[in-house]
Amino acid sequence: MPELLLALLSLMPILVVGVFLVGLRWPASRAMPLSYLTAVALALFVWKVSFAQVAAASVKGAVIAVTLLYIIFGAILLLNVLREGGALQRIRQTFTDISPDRRVQAIIIGWLFGSFIEGSAGFGTPAAVAVPLMVGLGFPPLAAVMVGMIIQSTPVSFGAVGTPILIGVKGSLEGSSEVMAYFESMGISTLDDGLRMIGFRVALIHASVGILIPLFVVCMLTRFFGEKKSWKEGLAVWPFAIFAALAMIVPYVIVACLLGPEFPSLLGGLIGLSIVVFAGQRGFLVPKGDAIWDFPEPGNWPDGWRGRMILKVNTTKTMSLMRAWSPYFLVAILLVLTRVPSLPGFAGESGNGLKDFVRSVVLSKENLFGTHISLKAEPLYIPGAVFVFVSLVSIPLFRMTGQQARSAFADSVKTISLASVALLFAVPMVQVFLNSDGGTSGYETMPFVLANAIANVAGGTWPMFAPLIGGMGAAVAGSNTNSNMMFSLFQFGVGQRVGYDPGWIIALQAVGGAAGNMICVHNVVAASAVVGLAGREGEIIRRTAIPFCYYVLTAGLIGTWIVTVLSFSG
């Protein structure tokens, strides 16, 4: 079959999503089953993959979807426990004390706290934590989800203590003699040291592009959710937005240089949060008086802004700031302690016995239905387990009644049911798409066929397209890690073929893969479900596509300039 036609066919499951979900505004619960059936038909009748392989990929997708639903349920449950226990009112007061300005609150919660949570846990957890917290503070659910998706960009390459680099890029490059020859030519003797170099390059590109992300957040808030529908109201807080960006990005780059890929987002977010909260409490660059910006009155919100989550805050209890925030502190601590590679004082071969313990419970099945596809789940390691555990601990902490606890659980189950259909088709579609190789037609996987066709057309302009391929991979596959694992070696090969430093091309892949999270369908479905906003996914993607395009285009321009300068100097 001609390469162009095959590439167009491989694009069909994505086009179905674009046309029906984004263009025609179908809810994901209707669009994703259609996309899944398209991928299955292509796999069976064009790629000629066995029915057993399609079934195995679908089952694997369903297991991953249940994992995502578990995370969403835990995040919703924690928020409902905070609501019923009376802590949410005190948390609201914390941010109002810093500033009642919603632009400032969005930057602190989304950009800074979200970066820290991304560095700790990754895999969509920041949206599961930050989005409901913003709704609890009085943000329209649609606005909260939009903010939660936009900030899933700069911190993502170093999410879950470096997983996209240490697992994603490494998994793709490992075993390649050409990659090791490239590193050795630069005086680098091991793959791990090579990953540190690539990680630092990733951080530099992210820093150059991501410095405007907090400003993007506030401008899009004021444009789409302000009474005046004005970009100008967002630009008015540019000094605070740039200050918050630098407070996170400067330590982020330093950590990437000195410590490697594990901690840039985690420490960058934590240090930035400390700096900005300290400065904000003292009024530094924070809007005052008539310059304070807020959403219209809730009674004037369009129906499309509202979710099905009703947060009637319990104001009958008063409590200390520390007690109100303690569940989130505990979540952050447990996520860090169960994910850092080594932990002093805990025994174990890996240096972190606590991490070993939570990963000791493994449910797995090799060679599902006689195929190469395997299943693996670690129920105690999933962030949802942390959320549920902290929720249970918080019930006695807040002295909740049995009725309050039952109400929190019942409301959480009701909300999670709204996301089930969409995710139970979205993720299996992705797995069929990714596992489409090995058929009797002899074609590579659908995403690889598509990327290769673009590479053949792009030629010497490839650095402009490298982030787009990374973004496409993440948008379809659901994570930066999966995108890097699919395409890093491919990007390395294209870099060599067009005569550019392949290390920088891999870095552009990783940066684009991070940006792809902003438009990833099942991430949007998950974030929307947290606040009961099922059915508005297409509208969210249409908006987050704006910062996504900014991110991959700017990264491509920066990458083109870097490799061009290097090729001339070489």
Side-chain angles (χ1 to χ4, degrees), residues 135-374:
V135 171
L137 291 170
F139 280 59
L142 191 67
V145 174
M146 184 190 74
V147 171
M149 295 308 301
I150 293 173
I151 62 94
Q152 290 191 67
S153 47
T154 308
V156 170
S157 287
F158 305 105
V161 285
T163 297
I165 303 291
L166 299 175
I167 302 297
V169 175
K170 184 176 184 178
S172 184
L173 301 184
E174 208 164 22
S176 169
S177 57
E178 289 188 345
V179 170
M180 286 313 303
Y182 162 74
F183 285 139
E184 286 166 7
S185 72
M186 302 181 70
I188 297 171
S189 58
T190 68
L191 180 57
D192 286 342
D193 287 340
L195 293 175
R196 286 173 66 97
M197 178 201 75
I198 288 172
F200 179 54
R201 293 179 176 185
V202 169
L204 288 175
I205 299 171
H206 268 312
S208 305
V209 184
I211 192 169
L212 293 183
I213 285 298
L215 192 57
F216 250 106
V217 165
V218 295
C219 285
M220 293 191 68
L221 265 186
T222 60
R223 170 62 183 85
F224 293 110
F225 299 95
E227 218 161 331
K228 298 179 181 176
K229 305 293 183 189
S230 164
W231 296 104
K232 190 176 178 181
E233 288 181 317
L235 290 170
V237 292
W238 72 265
F240 182 83
I242 298 299
F243 166 62
L246 291 171
M248 184 279 225
I249 281 174
V250 171
Y252 166 98
V253 172
I254 293 171
V255 170
C257 177
L258 300 179
L259 300 181
E262 290 96 338
F263 301 114
S265 296
L266 193 156
L267 291 179
L270 185 60
I271 293 168
L273 184 64
S274 304
I275 292 170
V276 174
V277 168
F278 178 82
Q281 286 173 334
R282 285 149 184 80
F284 182 68
L285 300 179
V286 171
K288 299 177 181 68
D290 292 341
I292 291 171
W293 183 87
D294 201 351
F295 301 106
E297 286 296 319
N300 297 326
W301 292 354
D303 289 341
W305 291 12
R306 305 173 189 275
R308 292 182 176 89
M309 175 182 283
I310 306 298
L311 278 176
K312 294 180 179 177
V313 178
N314 183 349
T315 57
T316 61
K317 292 184 180 180
T318 58
M319 64 179 65
S320 69
L321 180 64
M322 182 59 70
R323 190 169 159 212
W325 272 100
S326 57
Y328 281 123
F329 292 150
L330 187 55
V331 165
I333 290 167
L334 288 175
L335 288 174
V336 172
L337 292 182
T338 54
R339 280 151 176 81
V340 292
S342 59
L343 192 64
F346 287 84
E349 271 184 38
S350 72
N352 184 347
L354 185 59
K355 180 179 179 179
D356 294 341
F357 169 72
V358 296
R359 301 197 77 169
S360 64
V361 179
V362 180
L363 306 175
S364 62
K365 172 67 177 173
E366 298 291 328
N367 306 120
L368 190 62
F369 303 146
T371 68
H372 66 279
I373 297 172
S374 300

